[in-house]
Amino acid sequence: MEFLSFLIRRVLWSILVLVGLSMVIFAIARVVPGDPARMALGPSATAEQVADLQEKLGLNRPIVEQYGLFIVGLSQGELGRSLLTERSVNKDIRETFAATFELVLCTVLLAVVVGVPLGAIAANWKDRWPDTLVRVFAIFSAVTPSFFLALLLQILAGYVLAILPTTGRLPPDMSFTADITGLLLIDSLLQGRPDVWLEAARHLLLPTIALSAATMGQMARLTRASMIDVSRQDYIEAARAFGIPSPVRIFKYMLRPSFVPPLTILGLEFASLIGGAFVVEMVFSWPGMAAYGIRTILQKDLNAVMGVVMVSGVFFVLVNLLIDVLVGLVDPRIRIRGGRT
């Protein structure tokens, strides 16, 4: 009950955060220099044509009324029409979000599968050569820009060795529609297309590695620090004194409580990558929402920009709520304290 009341308060705060986000992004979109209608129509458009488009977009109305129409549209799930694609922003985001979500999901899974075991190994071999190697890797991955790593992987694996594709989600000559979940790896299996699954996995590998390197190193570093701290607890010393085998002691009694700090950071990384994967998407010509958002910003496509930011904000809030639940499940102490904080 205490943890439930804690989650209810978090939900209410999350709603306030989204309202504040809508105000901020609306204000920023309106104060950026340049007329969206003029940019959409081009320099050769007449004043009458610009005024007509401004009327259709509602840009000639008072700012308070424009914000009211924006909120009404959001409440109805309608994000308006894109000036860049001349289609509904909802449709553009639906088509591009799945590509970004699949990339980010694979990125997070790779970071956990590789980073957490590396951190556990480093903690178990503290101040010895495995620990040194893991720390060097963590520092190297943290200071290497994702765009540099993306270009390096693209050159080495795509052109020098020519073993992996470097652009897109599928080969141009492969016809497949992911109309179930939008995720190629899942829809290809559901539709019985192992050939599509293989090609989708090959296209995902390079951008996933480039995007996950920093998160992977961070997971390793946080897991190592947390496990070293947990190893000094009395119950771990008691388990060691009772002769409990080292693998059981590490993975059953040390790793679970040590996973709380990495899990918290992982949630923030997962949510932020949804909107911040644009560099890797641009390098690999990945048709995702992040790259779509950058194109709309350059064209000052107000409806599309606000739609992308709001979707990213909603996803960020939902992921953080999910992380609160998972952290409570991993560590019951947080579940109990949650209702009193």
Side-chain angles (χ1 to χ4, degrees):
M1 183 61 69
E2 291 180 343
F3 190 64
L4 178 61
S5 64
F6 168 71
L7 285 182
I8 292 174
R9 288 199 300 273
R10 286 300 309 272
V11 170
L12 294 178
W13 275 111
S14 299
I15 293 174
L16 290 178
V17 168
L18 292 177
V19 172
L21 176 64
S22 69
M23 293 180 178
V24 171
I25 188 57
F26 180 84
I28 292 176
R30 290 303 187 272
V31 301
V32 172
D35 185 352
R38 170 63 67 182
M39 295 181 68
L41 294 174
S44 60
T46 64
E48 291 77 10
Q49 291 173 323
V50 173
D52 183 58
L53 183 57
Q54 287 178 336
E55 172 123 13
K56 290 180 180 178
L57 297 176
L59 297 176
N60 57 348
R61 301 185 184 186
I63 193 72
V64 176
E65 186 177 350
Q66 291 184 43
Y67 180 71
L69 293 174
F70 174 60
I71 293 298
V72 170
L74 283 180
S75 64
Q76 298 173 350
E78 179 57 49
L79 299 173
R81 192 170 185 84
S82 169
L83 298 176
L84 178 65
T85 64
E86 298 183 352
R87 302 190 308 172
S88 169
V89 174
N90 298 54
K91 186 174 182 180
D92 287 342
I93 291 179
R94 278 198 303 269
E95 292 182 356
T96 57
F97 179 80
T100 295
F101 182 76
E102 186 171 42
L103 175 60
V104 171
L105 184 61
C106 292
T107 295
V108 170
L109 290 176
L110 182 63
V112 172
V113 169
V114 176
V116 172
L118 285 178
I121 292 171
N124 191 48
W125 294 78
K126 183 176 179 293
D127 296 331
R128 284 179 279 183
W129 68 265
D131 182 27
T132 302
L133 289 179
V134 172
R135 283 189 289 174
V136 169
F137 166 76
I139 294 174
F140 175 77
S141 62
V143 301
T144 303
S146 58
F147 75 89
F148 175 79
L149 185 57
L151 291 172
L152 183 63
L153 290 172
Q154 193 175 57
I155 294 172
L156 291 179
Y159 296 103
V160 177
L161 301 177
I163 57 176
L164 289 171
T166 58
T167 57
R169 299 178 73 190
L170 285 175
D173 58 347
M174 178 171 282
S175 177
F176 181 79
T177 303
D179 51 6
I180 301 176
T181 65
L183 308 181
L184 290 177
L185 293 179
I186 295 178
D187 287 2
S188 58
L189 294 178
L190 294 177
Q191 298 183 35
R193 292 289 302 274
D195 57 326
V196 174
W197 188 94
L198 180 61
E199 286 298 329
R202 293 180 70 245
H203 281 73
L204 262 169
L205 188 56
L206 292 183
T208 297
I209 293 173
L211 195 59
S212 66
T215 305
M216 195 184 302
Q218 194 172 20
M219 289 294 101
R221 183 176 57 83
L222 288 174
T223 302
R224 174 189 179 275
S226 186
M227 287 191 68
I228 290 175
D229 183 60
V230 170
S231 68
R232 301 190 181 104
Q233 301 298 317
D234 292 339
Y235 72 93
I236 298 298
E237 294 295 337
R240 187 181 291 111
F242 277 107
I244 295 178
S246 180
V248 176
R249 191 172 66 247
I250 292 173
F251 291 100
K252 184 176 182 180
Y253 297 107
M254 292 177 59
L255 186 58
R256 180 174 176 176
S258 301
F259 195 56
V260 172
L263 182 62
T264 304
I265 296 299
L266 187 65
L268 298 175
E269 287 289 324
F270 190 92
S272 63
L273 285 173
I274 290 291
F278 63 90
V279 172
V280 173
E281 289 189 356
M282 297 295 283
V283 171
F284 290 100
S285 299
W286 194 261
M289 188 182 72
Y292 168 75
I294 292 299
R295 292 196 302 271
T296 59
I297 290 174
L298 295 177
Q299 295 295 324
K300 203 184 179 186
D301 189 347
L302 297 183
N303 290 334
V305 170
M306 291 188 292
V308 169
V309 173
M310 288 305 302
V311 169
S312 300
V314 169
F315 194 82
F316 190 91
V317 168
L318 291 178
V319 168
N320 278 275
L321 285 175
L322 177 61
I323 291 299
D324 286 337
V325 176
L326 292 178
V327 167
L329 294 175
V330 170
D331 192 341
R333 296 171 300 176
I334 296 177
R335 236 184 4 250
I336 296 172
R337 291 198 303 264
R340 297 197 297 266
T341 55

